[in-house]
Amino acid sequence: MASSIATPAVESPEQKSLIELRCRVDRRLETLLAESASDDDPVFRAMRDSLLAPGRRVRPILLILAGRELGGGLPALLDLGCAVEMIHTASLILDDLPCMDDASLRRGRPTMHRLYGEDVAMLAVVALLSRASGVVAESTGLFAQQRTQMVERLSRAVGIQGLVKGQYEDLHEACHVRSIEAVMATNTRKTGVLFQAAMYMAALAAGADETVIEHLDRFALALGQAYQLCDDLSDGGAAQGKDVHQDRDKTTLVSLLGPEEVRGHLAGQLEEADRHLSAVYGADSPLSRFMHGLFPLFR
Amino acid sequence: MASSIATPAVESPEQKSLIELRCRVDRRLETLLAESASDDDPVFRAMRDSLLAPGRRVRPILLILAGRELGGGLPALLDLGCAVEMIHTASLILDDLPCMDDASLRRGRPTMHRLYGEDVAMLAVVALLSRASGVVAESTGLFAQQRTQMVERLSRAVGIQGLVKGQYEDLHEACHVRSIEAVMATNTRKTGVLFQAAMYMAALAAGADETVIEHLDRFALALGQAYQLCDDLSDGGAAQGKDVHQDRDKTTLVSLLGPEEVRGHLAGQLEEADRHLSAVYGADSPLSRFMHGLFPLFR
């Protein structure tokens, strides 16, 4: 499907290859979804609309680049990336619901509960999460033992210690004054855990050793922090197609430290992320370049 | 934990053994939950309160009895049964939410969103579903290949063609006049699919052959229909500790055919269920006796 993400007028071979990768992810998402559902079902339409909305596919591309450079097979990496994208999409629908952030806009479009009703939006969350575990469980080109380890890891990333806890803290604790450490812990649960699970799956799919797994885990943590800081810094929201000032009453590192210091923190997290990438892939890897492309103002 | 379910004054050895089995399920549920979470988290409390509320543990006991008679190991069957109970519990919390049935009572107690708020109830749904897939993925005593097949099957049972679709149809289509076939199809999605998944896992855990899998699948379908018919017949609700007349505006087989004919249908489904059980276990198996114990008025 067509993407609305702006691309430079002159594309380098690497940029072209990234765009091609994003298209492959989009096509595979569509196929994996179509395999699961019937056409006229509003829950299916909500799943499809949210999952296939134009997006950068950051998590699938990170997973694929991380695993491919280590020798992992593309079909498996593609499926694993799509499963992560399904979970990410489910978390966005959930986050937007009236009893959560009560958002009206996401990626510049009405949120799912505005389009389809709250019940359908919630059922789409459940269906996307279920589909994700099914996709991992039946992903081809992997040993069954690898797939069970991945399902287990994803289950933890989503569950009571992961995205669920991050979502709860974001709703109930972010409005109180909190320490820098507490804010960072919530940021990890909101964003880092799914990056960590994606990197774990990439490493496992490629048969990487413990040292690589550990470096990729720490890369994912740093990237998660950077991602969340960038989100906090840009909370005018409009540039991201979200409701403006959604987070204005929340304690973020920006409200605690001010934007200048947070920019410094963000740059520090990217350096930390790069250190771990270098240990695995050497300096200036495709994965590192992709990461820096996500933060054009911080290089 | 103590159960409030009434038991006869004089217990047969088989009744005692069932009570002991129910206690083991309760203890295992508690352990599996405790492994996943921290104490002071409201989402965890909602998970625990809903999962460990006194209940008959019908699905775990069916799964364990079905698998044990075929030679399956108890530890694996216990974990698989607990995973199914987690999914069932999540489906009840979801069903009760304001945007779904908006129920205030469940099993004689306030529903989760009344106790903890809608956001926490929803996060508990997500956390229970995630935990269930994790429990299956890491269940001991099974080959990894069996576990991935089970995760995949559960994913389908929950997803867009399973519980999710049943829930949607129950909300949006049950209020229209529908055919008997359409009502039965919804009943299967609401109830039968999870019984089917439970029986599939029992058979797989015991290494049963295709014929056994097929008989247990058809047993599960018939039992699911019987279960739903019984629920429709008793929709005064009070006996089940649910809101009274929750379903009064819905098209059920009772509203289409009247209670007498539905009683006949129910008895027919139990006969069908028994036929398939006999083919696998011979006449008068523990599983058959347990099933009939669930429908004391229909023997």
Side-chain angles (χ1 to χ4, degrees):
Chain A
M1 66 182 284
S3 168
S4 71
I5 304 295
T7 49
V10 180
E11 289 155 359
S12 69
E14 185 160 272
Q15 283 166 333
K16 278 188 190 158
S17 142
L18 280 176
I19 292 166
E20 167 57 22
L21 199 52
R22 201 169 65 210
C23 291
R24 285 191 76 160
V25 170
D26 282 338
R27 286 197 301 272
R28 187 66 186 146
L29 283 172
E30 200 157 7
T31 304
L32 288 171
L33 209 57
E35 281 173 12
S36 78
S38 56
D39 274 3
D40 294 332
D41 184 335
V43 181
F44 177 65
R45 289 207 301 274
M47 290 170 79
R48 193 184 52 200
D49 281 9
S50 55
L51 189 62
L52 301 182
R56 294 182 296 174
R57 312 295 176 220
V58 170
R59 291 155 190 81
I61 291 175
L62 283 169
L63 192 157
I64 293 166
L65 291 180
R68 205 171 56 177
E69 296 289 306
L70 294 167
L74 188 57
L77 295 170
L78 199 54
D79 280 4
L80 299 175
C82 287
V84 172
E85 188 73 2
M86 288 176 188
I87 291 172
H88 172 61
T89 301
S91 78
L92 299 182
I93 302 175
L94 193 75
D95 188 38
D96 288 338
L97 286 171
C99 67
M100 306 282 180
D101 273 357
D102 195 14
S104 57
L105 285 177
R106 162 78 63 184
R107 291 173 172 172
R109 303 160 37 146
T111 48
M112 286 302 115
H113 63 275
R114 294 282 177 116
L115 281 175
Y116 293 99
E118 206 177 334
D119 55 335
V120 170
M122 280 192 43
L123 290 172
V125 168
V126 172
L128 282 167
L129 292 173
S130 298
R131 184 70 184 131
S133 64
V135 166
V136 174
E138 63 189 344
S139 169
T140 52
L142 297 171
F143 295 115
Q145 182 66 31
Q146 293 173 309
R147 287 178 271 141
T148 56
Q149 287 172 288
M150 291 172 183
V151 169
E152 197 276 327
R153 180 63 187 252
L154 273 184
S155 140
R156 275 193 289 131
V158 173
I160 183 83
Q161 298 290 2
L163 293 176
V164 162
K165 194 181 185 76
Q167 182 69 22
Y168 177 83
E169 289 176 344
D170 194 45
L171 270 179
H172 291 272
E173 294 175 15
C175 46
H176 305 138
V177 174
R178 297 195 302 158
S179 69
I180 292 173
E181 292 71 26
V183 173
M184 288 180 74
T186 296
N187 286 352
T188 288
R189 292 184 192 107
K190 280 174 66 182
T191 309
V193 290
L194 200 52
F195 284 136
Q196 288 177 289
M199 289 302 105
Y200 174 78
M201 296 201 294
L204 212 63
D209 65 25
E210 282 302 319
T211 312
V212 168
I213 290 175
E214 177 67 22
H215 278 300
L216 287 181
D217 190 65
R218 296 178 68 183
F219 156 71
L221 269 177
L223 178 62
Q225 289 295 335
Y227 220 75
Q228 199 60 48
L229 294 179
C230 193
D231 198 52
D232 293 343
L233 279 170
S234 65
D235 188 45
Q240 299 166 297
K242 297 200 289 188
D243 293 350
V244 174
H245 300 312
Q246 191 75 38
D247 297 337
R248 71 185 151 196
D249 298 327
K250 290 180 179 174
T251 299
T252 66
L253 287 198
V254 176
S255 70
L256 284 175
L257 303 172
E260 268 318 302
E261 197 169 334
V262 167
R263 281 194 194 94
H265 268 277
L266 200 164
Q269 295 290 353
L270 292 180
E271 273 172 35
E272 163 88 358
D274 252 341
R275 254 197 308 281
H276 293 292
L277 287 184
S278 294
V280 176
Y281 303 103
D284 198 32
S285 59
L287 189 49
S288 168
R289 290 194 294 275
F290 178 68
M291 174 184 78
H292 284 288
L294 301 173
F295 303 90
L297 302 177
F298 294 89
R299 178 143 221 187
Chain B
M1 67 180 282
S3 168
S4 70
I5 304 295
T7 50
V10 180
E11 288 155 1
S12 69
E14 185 160 272
Q15 283 165 334
K16 278 187 190 159
S17 143
L18 279 176
I19 292 166
E20 166 58 22
L21 197 53
R22 202 170 64 212
C23 291
R24 286 191 73 159
V25 170
D26 282 336
R27 286 197 301 272
R28 188 65 186 147
L29 283 173
E30 201 158 5
T31 304
L32 288 170
L33 209 55
E35 281 173 13
S36 77
S38 55
D39 274 3
D40 294 332
D41 184 334
V43 181
F44 177 65
R45 291 206 300 275
M47 290 169 80
R48 193 183 53 201
D49 281 11
S50 55
L51 189 62
L52 301 181
R56 294 183 296 176
R57 312 294 175 221
V58 170
R59 289 155 191 81
I61 291 176
L62 284 169
L63 191 158
I64 293 167
L65 291 179
R68 203 170 57 177
E69 297 287 308
L70 294 168
L74 187 57
L77 295 171
L78 200 53
D79 280 3
L80 299 175
C82 288
V84 172
E85 189 73 2
M86 287 175 189
I87 291 172
H88 172 60
T89 302
S91 77
L92 299 182
I93 302 175
L94 193 75
D95 187 38
D96 289 338
L97 284 172
C99 67
M100 306 282 179
D101 274 357
D102 194 14
S104 57
L105 284 177
R106 165 75 65 182
R107 291 174 173 170
R109 303 159 36 143
T111 47
M112 286 301 114
H113 64 273
R114 294 284 176 118
L115 282 174
Y116 293 99
E118 206 177 335
D119 55 335
V120 170
M122 280 191 44
L123 291 172
V125 168
V126 172
L128 281 167
L129 292 173
S130 298
R131 185 70 184 130
S133 65
V135 166
V136 175
E138 63 188 344
S139 170
T140 51
L142 297 170
F143 295 113
Q145 182 65 31
Q146 293 173 309
R147 286 177 273 139
T148 56
Q149 287 173 289
M150 292 172 183
V151 168
E152 196 277 326
R153 180 63 188 251
L154 273 183
S155 140
R156 274 194 290 132
V158 173
I160 183 86
Q161 298 290 2
L163 294 176
V164 162
K165 194 181 184 76
Q167 182 69 23
Y168 177 83
E169 289 175 343
D170 193 45
L171 269 179
H172 292 271
E173 294 174 16
C175 47
H176 305 137
V177 174
R178 297 196 300 157
S179 69
I180 292 172
E181 292 70 26
V183 173
M184 287 179 76
T186 296
N187 286 351
T188 289
R189 292 185 192 107
K190 280 174 66 182
T191 309
V193 288
L194 199 52
F195 285 136
Q196 287 177 290
M199 289 303 105
Y200 175 78
M201 296 200 292
L204 212 62
D209 64 26
E210 282 301 319
T211 312
V212 168
I213 290 174
E214 177 67 22
H215 278 301
L216 287 181
D217 190 65
R218 296 178 67 180
F219 155 72
L221 269 178
L223 178 63
Q225 289 295 337
Y227 219 77
Q228 199 61 48
L229 294 178
C230 193
D231 198 53
D232 292 344
L233 280 170
S234 65
D235 187 47
Q240 300 165 297
K242 297 200 287 190
D243 293 349
V244 174
H245 299 312
Q246 191 76 39
D247 298 335
R248 71 185 150 196
D249 298 326
K250 291 181 178 173
T251 299
T252 67
L253 287 197
V254 176
S255 72
L256 285 174
L257 303 172
E260 268 320 301
E261 196 170 335
V262 167
R263 281 193 194 94
H265 267 278
L266 199 163
Q269 294 290 352
L270 292 179
E271 274 173 36
E272 163 88 357
D274 252 341
R275 254 197 309 281
H276 293 291
L277 287 184
S278 294
V280 177
Y281 303 105
D284 198 30
S285 59
L287 189 50
S288 167
R289 291 193 294 275
F290 177 68
M291 174 183 79
H292 285 289
L294 300 173
F295 304 89
L297 303 176
F298 294 88
R299 179 139 217 186

